[in-house]
Amino acid sequence: MNLVDLVIDAADKGFGGLDASLLPELRAIRRDGPARARRAALLALLHLGGEQALDPADSAVLRRLIEIKRPTDRPHSIDGCFNAWLTVRGGDQQDIMRVLGLARSAPTTYELGETLVAHLGHGGPDDSRTWRHVLISPLLNGWTVVYGPSCDPDDEPQVEGWVQELSSRHGDAQAYFYGSQGDGDAWLVGSRGRIVRRYSSNKPETSTGEPLPVEQRTLARLGLGGPPERLDTDYLWDFVIECGAPQVAAELSIDPVWTGWPTDPHVQGQPVIAWPESDDDVSILRGCYVFGI
C-alpha cells in the first residue's frame, strides 16, 4: 500500500501503522496533494504531533474555520466519560482565568471544546499528569462552566481554593466530578467564600457539611436515613442514581453533561480554550483519535 492510501485508510481506522517519522511526508501531502488525501493527512498530523505539528498555513485554516462556525455555533451538553467541571455565577471569563492561573486563551467551537475535554479526560497527550487546559463557556443562563480534568474536586487539591475564591468574588461557585460509566460522583459547593458542602461517593470520608436540600429530598424519597456518606454500599447506588453530580448541578446552577441541560439556554458571549503560560509549548491534541471542529 502506498503512503497516500495508507494515510487515508489509517485515518478511518485509528491511525494504526503511522508514526512520527511520517510527519514531513504528511505535511507534503497537505501542501501538494493529492486532494483526496489532504483531510486524512491533516487528521494524522494532529494525531501524531498535535496542533504544533501543523504548518502555519494549516494552523490558519483551522483558525479560519473556527471563526466561520462561531457566529452560528450553539452550546450543547458535553459528556466525556470522565467529567470534571466548575460552575461560576456570572460571566467573567477573564476573572475566572486569573483565579485558575490561566494566562492564555483562544477562540473555539463547542465541538472542538468537546474534542479537547474528551481527550484530556482519557489522559491527553500524556496520562502521567493532569492537564490544565480547559474549555470555558460563555454565560449560560447566568452561569459560566469550566470543563477539564484540573477541575476535579475529588483528585485535584487546588480546586477547593478555586471554589472558595470564585465564590467570594462572584457569590457562588461549585466543582463537580461525574463518571458516566459508574466511576463516581462528587460535588464541592461554595457560597460567599465558604465551602458549605463537599461530597464524594468514591471518598465518602472526605465529605463535609450538611447534605444539600436536593440530597435530603432524595434520601427522604428513598426512605434512607443519615447523610449519603454514611450509606451502606447497597443503598449508595440507589442514592447516586437519583442524586448524582448532574442532578445536583442542575439544582444549584447548570448541568452541562447530562439530561439536565437546558433546552434553550440564554447565551451571552463565546467559548474559549484557556491554559497556563507554562503550557505554551504543549501540543495538547497529540494522541487524539476523534476530532471535531
Side-chain angles (χ1 to χ4, degrees), residues 4 25-38 41:
V4 167
E25 286 86 351
L26 293 169
R27 294 189 187 100
I29 291 173
R30 286 295 300 166
R31 289 193 307 270
D32 306 322
R36 64 188 180 90
R38 295 188 78 244

Side-chain angles (χ1 to χ4, degrees), residues 61-290:
V61 167
L62 292 183
R63 289 194 297 270
R64 188 160 61 249
L65 181 59
I66 289 169
E67 290 303 322
I68 290 170
K69 287 189 171 187
R70 273 164 65 90
T72 57
D73 199 24
R74 292 293 296 171
H76 58 265
S77 60
I78 296 176
D79 183 352
C81 294
F82 307 100
N83 302 282
W85 73 95
L86 302 171
T87 55
V88 183
R89 187 179 293 280
D92 193 337
Q93 289 177 332
Q94 290 299 314
D95 191 63
I96 292 170
M97 286 176 58
R98 281 192 291 272
V99 172
L100 272 56
L102 309 176
R104 301 285 195 260
S105 66
T108 187
T109 63
Y110 293 99
E111 192 172 6
L112 180 56
E114 185 170 17
T115 294
L116 174 73
V117 169
H119 182 45
L120 296 186
H122 290 86
D126 178 357
D127 62 8
S128 68
R129 58 178 282 188
T130 296
W131 299 99
R132 293 181 61 192
H133 284 65
V134 295
L135 169 65
I136 305 181
S137 80
L139 187 65
L140 304 171
N141 286 2
W143 295 85
T144 297
V145 183
V146 184
Y147 308 76
S150 60
C151 300
D152 184 349
D154 249 1
D155 291 332
E156 299 302 320
Q158 75 278 1
V159 173
E160 182 169 346
W162 289 349
V163 170
Q164 285 179 309
E165 185 169 355
L166 288 168
S167 69
S168 176
R169 298 164 77 95
H170 300 281
D172 294 286
Q174 301 123 36
Y176 298 91
F177 173 79
Y178 171 61
S180 61
Q181 306 298 318
D183 297 294
D185 294 78
W187 46 89
L188 179 67
V189 180
S191 179
R192 302 190 181 281
R194 186 171 66 91
I195 300 299
V196 298
R197 175 62 168 157
R198 174 191 285 275
Y199 172 74
S200 168
S201 64
N202 288 332
K203 301 176 181 179
E205 71 280 0
T206 66
S207 300
T208 59
E210 292 297 318
L212 302 167
V214 62
E215 298 176 65
Q216 296 175 18
R217 293 196 304 272
T218 304
L219 291 168
R221 187 166 59 251
L222 296 173
L224 300 174
E229 54 266 35
R230 294 183 185 174
L231 292 175
D232 293 337
T233 302
D234 292 342
Y235 297 110
L236 179 60
W237 184 245
D238 293 336
F239 174 80
V240 295
I241 286 176
E242 294 198 29
C243 188
Q247 292 93 338
V248 174
E251 170 95 3
L252 298 184
S253 51
I254 186 170
D255 167 22
V257 300
W258 209 30
T259 57
W261 179 256
T263 56
D264 189 22
H266 180 62
V267 183
Q268 295 175 262
Q270 298 281 357
V272 298
I273 290 172
W275 65 94
E277 183 178 1
S278 59
D279 282 355
D280 278 349
D281 61 342
V282 172
S283 209
I284 200 68
L285 292 177
R286 179 172 57 83
C288 191
Y289 287 88
V290 179

